[in-house]
CSV table of all heavy atoms in Angstrom, one decimal:
chain,number,residue,atom,x,y,z
A,204,SER,N,177.7,128.6,128.5
A,204,SER,CA,178.0,127.2,129.2
A,204,SER,C,178.7,126.3,128.1
A,204,SER,O,178.3,126.4,127.0
A,204,SER,CB,176.6,126.6,129.7
A,204,SER,OG,176.0,127.4,130.7
A,205,CYS,N,179.6,125.5,128.6
A,205,CYS,CA,180.1,124.4,127.8
A,205,CYS,C,180.0,123.3,128.6
A,205,CYS,O,180.7,123.0,129.6
A,205,CYS,CB,181.6,124.9,127.6
A,205,CYS,SG,182.6,123.6,126.5
A,206,THR,N,179.2,122.3,128.1
A,206,THR,CA,178.9,121.1,128.7
A,206,THR,C,179.5,119.9,128.0
A,206,THR,O,179.4,119.8,126.8
A,206,THR,CB,177.3,120.9,128.9
A,206,THR,OG1,176.8,122.0,129.6
A,206,THR,CG2,177.1,119.5,129.7
A,207,ALA,N,180.2,119.1,128.8
A,207,ALA,CA,180.9,117.9,128.2
A,207,ALA,C,180.2,116.6,128.3
A,207,ALA,O,179.5,116.4,129.3
A,207,ALA,CB,182.4,117.8,128.7
A,208,SER,N,180.3,115.8,127.4
A,208,SER,CA,179.6,114.4,127.5
A,208,SER,C,180.5,113.4,127.0
A,208,SER,O,181.6,113.7,126.2
A,208,SER,CB,178.4,114.3,126.8
A,208,SER,OG,178.5,114.6,125.4
A,209,GLY,N,180.6,112.3,127.4
A,209,GLY,CA,181.4,111.1,127.0
A,209,GLY,C,182.6,110.8,128.0
A,209,GLY,O,182.9,109.7,128.0
A,210,ARG,N,182.9,111.8,128.8
A,210,ARG,CA,183.9,111.5,129.9
A,210,ARG,C,183.8,112.6,130.9
A,210,ARG,O,183.2,113.7,130.6
A,210,ARG,CB,185.3,111.1,129.5
A,210,ARG,CG,185.9,112.4,128.7
A,210,ARG,CD,187.4,111.9,128.5
A,210,ARG,NE,188.0,112.9,127.7
A,210,ARG,CZ,188.5,114.1,128.1
A,210,ARG,NH1,188.4,114.4,129.3
A,210,ARG,NH2,189.2,114.9,127.2
A,211,THR,N,184.4,112.5,132.0
A,211,THR,CA,184.5,113.5,133.1
A,211,THR,C,185.4,114.6,132.5
A,211,THR,O,186.4,114.5,132.0
A,211,THR,CB,185.1,112.8,134.3
A,211,THR,OG1,184.3,111.9,134.8
A,211,THR,CG2,185.1,113.9,135.5
A,212,PHE,N,184.8,115.9,132.8
A,212,PHE,CA,185.5,117.1,132.3
A,212,PHE,C,186.4,117.6,133.2
A,212,PHE,O,187.2,118.4,132.9
A,212,PHE,CB,184.3,118.1,132.1
A,212,PHE,CG,184.5,119.1,131.0
A,212,PHE,CD1,185.3,118.8,130.1
A,212,PHE,CD2,183.8,120.2,131.1
A,212,PHE,CE1,185.4,119.7,129.0
A,212,PHE,CE2,183.9,121.2,130.1
A,212,PHE,CZ,184.8,121.0,128.9
A,213,SER,N,186.4,117.2,134.5
A,213,SER,CA,187.1,117.8,135.6
A,213,SER,C,188.7,117.7,135.3
A,213,SER,O,189.5,118.5,135.9
A,213,SER,CB,186.8,117.1,137.0
A,213,SER,OG,187.2,115.8,136.8
A,214,SER,N,189.1,116.9,134.4
A,214,SER,CA,190.6,116.7,134.2
A,214,SER,C,191.1,117.5,132.9
A,214,SER,O,192.2,117.3,132.5
A,214,SER,CB,191.0,115.2,134.1
A,214,SER,OG,190.8,114.5,135.4
A,215,ASP,N,190.3,118.2,132.4
A,215,ASP,CA,190.5,119.0,131.2
A,215,ASP,C,190.9,120.5,131.6
A,215,ASP,O,190.3,121.0,132.4
A,215,ASP,CB,189.3,119.1,130.2
A,215,ASP,CG,189.1,117.7,129.5
A,215,ASP,OD1,189.1,116.7,130.2
A,215,ASP,OD2,188.9,117.8,128.3
A,216,SER,N,191.8,121.1,130.7
A,216,SER,CA,191.9,122.5,130.6
A,216,SER,C,191.0,122.9,129.6
A,216,SER,O,190.9,122.4,128.5
A,216,SER,CB,193.4,122.8,130.3
A,216,SER,OG,194.2,122.4,131.3
A,217,VAL,N,190.2,124.0,129.8
A,217,VAL,CA,189.0,124.4,128.9
A,217,VAL,C,189.3,125.9,128.6
A,217,VAL,O,189.6,126.7,129.4
A,217,VAL,CB,187.7,124.1,129.5
A,217,VAL,CG1,186.6,124.6,128.6
A,217,VAL,CG2,187.6,122.7,130.1
A,218,ALA,N,189.1,126.2,127.3
A,218,ALA,CA,189.2,127.5,126.8
A,218,ALA,C,188.0,128.0,126.0
A,218,ALA,O,187.2,127.2,125.6
A,218,ALA,CB,190.5,127.7,125.9
A,219,TRP,N,187.9,129.3,126.0
A,219,TRP,CA,186.8,129.8,125.2
A,219,TRP,C,187.7,130.7,124.1
A,219,TRP,O,188.6,131.5,124.4
A,219,TRP,CB,185.9,130.9,125.9
A,219,TRP,CG,184.9,130.2,126.8
A,219,TRP,CD1,185.0,129.8,128.1
A,219,TRP,CD2,183.6,129.7,126.4
A,219,TRP,NE1,183.9,129.1,128.5
A,219,TRP,CE2,183.0,129.0,127.4
A,219,TRP,CE3,182.9,129.7,125.1
A,219,TRP,CZ2,181.6,128.4,127.4
A,219,TRP,CZ3,181.6,129.1,125.1
A,219,TRP,CH2,181.2,128.5,126.2
A,220,PHE,N,187.2,130.6,122.9
A,220,PHE,CA,187.6,131.3,121.8
A,220,PHE,C,186.5,132.1,121.2
A,220,PHE,O,185.3,131.7,121.4
A,220,PHE,CB,188.4,130.5,120.8
A,220,PHE,CG,189.7,130.0,121.2
A,220,PHE,CD1,189.7,128.8,122.0
A,220,PHE,CD2,190.9,130.5,120.7
A,220,PHE,CE1,191.0,128.2,122.3
A,220,PHE,CE2,192.1,130.0,121.0
A,220,PHE,CZ,192.1,128.9,121.9
A,221,ARG,N,186.8,133.1,120.3
A,221,ARG,CA,185.7,133.7,119.6
A,221,ARG,C,186.1,134.1,118.1
A,221,ARG,O,187.3,134.3,118.0
A,221,ARG,CB,185.1,135.0,120.4
A,221,ARG,CG,186.1,136.0,120.5
A,221,ARG,CD,185.5,137.2,121.4
A,221,ARG,NE,186.5,138.3,121.6
A,221,ARG,CZ,186.2,139.3,122.4
A,221,ARG,NH1,185.2,139.4,123.0
A,221,ARG,NH2,187.1,140.4,122.4
A,222,GLN,N,185.1,134.2,117.4
A,222,GLN,CA,185.4,134.6,116.0
A,222,GLN,C,184.4,135.6,115.5
A,222,GLN,O,183.1,135.2,115.4
A,222,GLN,CB,185.4,133.4,115.1
A,222,GLN,CG,185.9,133.8,113.6
A,222,GLN,CD,186.3,132.6,112.8
A,222,GLN,OE1,185.9,131.4,113.1
A,222,GLN,NE2,187.0,132.7,111.7
A,223,ALA,N,184.8,136.8,115.3
A,223,ALA,CA,183.9,137.9,114.7
A,223,ALA,C,183.9,137.8,113.3
A,223,ALA,O,184.8,137.3,112.8
A,223,ALA,CB,184.5,139.2,115.3
A,224,PRO,N,182.8,138.3,112.7
A,224,PRO,CA,182.7,138.3,111.3
A,224,PRO,C,183.9,139.0,110.6
A,224,PRO,O,184.3,140.0,110.9
A,224,PRO,CB,181.4,139.2,111.0
A,224,PRO,CG,180.6,139.1,112.3
A,224,PRO,CD,181.7,139.1,113.4
A,225,GLY,N,184.4,138.2,109.7
A,225,GLY,CA,185.6,138.7,108.9
A,225,GLY,C,186.9,138.8,109.5
A,225,GLY,O,187.9,139.2,109.1
A,226,LYS,N,186.9,138.1,110.8
A,226,LYS,CA,188.1,138.1,111.6
A,226,LYS,C,188.6,136.7,111.9
A,226,LYS,O,187.8,135.8,111.7
A,226,LYS,CB,188.1,138.8,112.8
A,226,LYS,CG,187.8,140.4,112.5
A,226,LYS,CD,187.8,141.2,113.8
A,226,LYS,CE,187.6,142.7,113.7
A,226,LYS,NZ,187.7,143.5,115.0
A,227,GLU,N,189.7,136.5,112.3
A,227,GLU,CA,190.3,135.2,112.7
A,227,GLU,C,189.8,134.9,114.2
A,227,GLU,O,189.5,135.7,114.9
A,227,GLU,CB,191.9,135.2,112.7
A,227,GLU,CG,192.4,135.3,111.3
A,227,GLU,CD,194.0,135.2,111.2
A,227,GLU,OE1,194.5,135.1,112.4
A,227,GLU,OE2,194.5,135.1,110.2
A,228,ARG,N,189.8,133.6,114.4
A,228,ARG,CA,189.4,133.1,115.7
A,228,ARG,C,190.4,133.5,116.7
A,228,ARG,O,191.7,133.4,116.4
A,228,ARG,CB,189.2,131.6,115.7
A,228,ARG,CG,188.4,131.0,116.9
A,228,ARG,CD,188.0,129.6,116.7
A,228,ARG,NE,187.2,129.4,115.6
A,228,ARG,CZ,186.6,128.2,115.3
A,228,ARG,NH1,186.9,127.3,116.1
A,228,ARG,NH2,185.9,128.0,114.2
A,229,GLU,N,189.9,134.0,117.9
A,229,GLU,CA,190.9,134.5,118.9
A,229,GLU,C,190.6,134.0,120.2
A,229,GLU,O,189.5,133.6,120.6
A,229,GLU,CB,190.9,136.0,119.0
A,229,GLU,CG,189.6,136.6,119.4
A,229,GLU,CD,189.7,138.1,119.7
A,229,GLU,OE1,190.7,138.7,119.5
A,229,GLU,OE2,188.6,138.7,120.1
A,230,PHE,N,191.6,133.8,121.1
A,230,PHE,CA,191.6,133.4,122.4
A,230,PHE,C,190.8,134.3,123.2
A,230,PHE,O,191.1,135.6,123.1
A,230,PHE,CB,193.0,133.2,122.9
A,230,PHE,CG,193.1,132.9,124.4
A,230,PHE,CD1,192.8,131.6,124.9
A,230,PHE,CD2,193.4,133.9,125.3
A,230,PHE,CE1,193.0,131.3,126.3
A,230,PHE,CE2,193.5,133.6,126.6
A,230,PHE,CZ,193.3,132.3,127.1
Side-chain angles (χ1 to χ4, degrees):
S204 299
C205 178
T206 301
S208 60
R210 63 174 171 78
T211 302
F212 210 22
S213 59
S214 297
D215 283 50
S216 295
V217 182
W219 286 95
F220 289 79
R221 66 186 180 185
Q222 187 165 16
K226 296 188 177 181
E227 293 186 352
R228 196 170 299 188
E229 65 173 357
F230 170 82

